[in-house]
Amino acid sequence: MLKFNEIQEAYDYVAFCNPGEAAAYVGKEQGRVVLIPSEMAADDQEIQAAYREIEEGEWLQIPDKYDLGLGKELVFRFAAGRLSGPEQDKVERIFSHRGAYGNWKDFLCERGLLQEWYDFSEQAEVEALKDWLDFNQVAYEDENGNVVTPSPKEW
């Protein structure tokens, strides 16, 4: 049985790599997660075996934060719930320039909101991953050891 923490760790693994550098897959039938590191290691026999397994079975690629709507949209959601109108305008200006995330974190530090942002972001990632699993009809074991089965699909 897939465990949510394994899926979350795979999501984090891909998130910390450069785009396209690594991938992670969930095997619905196999009940496990496979990590595929960068192409530089593609000659490794273990990685070749993982590629073959993924090509032969029913595997889902774990999405990145942009696939889950957790990029700028999440920042604006946080800002809308916690900042005044003029501060929200400033956030929009921050994200219209390069270096936005660094400036965003500086902005939050000045207001004592950085930890609140981290907590908000982490909770949003967990919810989005669980929604993705449900949408893709993947059962898993949650953090408390409970089996979570997907909602029935309405056709």
Side-chain angles (χ1 to χ4, degrees):
M1 166 76 40
L2 286 162
K3 295 186 184 326
F4 183 75
N5 68 332
E6 294 171 335
I7 296 164
Q8 189 174 19
E9 287 171 7
Y11 169 83
D12 289 341
Y13 170 77
V14 173
F16 286 111
C17 294
N18 290 324
E21 186 176 284
Y25 295 85
V26 172
K28 290 171 71 169
E29 299 166 1
Q30 299 79 355
R32 64 189 191 90
V33 174
V34 171
L35 303 177
I36 305 290
S38 70
E39 293 297 321
M40 294 185 317
D43 292 339
D44 187 299
Q45 289 181 345
E46 190 174 316
I47 295 169
Q48 291 296 328
Y51 274 123
R52 282 192 298 278
E53 184 177 5
I54 289 166
E55 290 172 358
E56 294 171 2
E58 185 176 343
W59 292 81
L60 298 168
Q61 186 169 0
I62 293 179
D64 65 20
K65 70 180 183 176
Y66 302 105
D67 294 331
L68 295 175
L70 299 173
K72 282 194 310 192
E73 299 88 356
L74 185 63
V75 169
F76 295 142
R77 219 168 67 203
F78 179 85
R82 290 177 180 70
L83 301 173
S84 68
E87 289 176 315
Q88 290 177 43
D89 292 342
K90 183 168 182 167
V91 171
E92 287 188 32
R93 285 192 303 278
I94 287 171
F95 277 86
S96 67
H97 301 290
R98 296 186 69 140
Y101 280 98
N103 293 330
W104 164 241
K105 289 180 183 177
D106 291 343
F107 175 85
L108 292 171
C109 278
E110 292 169 4
R111 287 156 181 77
L113 294 172
L114 187 59
Q115 186 58 51
E116 192 173 335
W117 161 250
Y118 286 142
D119 295 342
F120 178 84
S121 179
E122 183 178 339
Q123 183 60 38
E125 286 177 355
V126 167
E127 290 173 14
L129 274 173
K130 288 181 177 181
D131 288 346
W132 178 80
L133 290 165
D134 186 62
F135 177 81
N136 285 288
Q137 299 291 289
V138 178
Y140 61 93
E141 187 178 306
D142 71 9
E143 304 86 346
N144 301 315
N146 301 314
V147 174
V148 178
T149 54
S151 305
K153 285 266 187 178
E154 295 181 23
W155 301 103

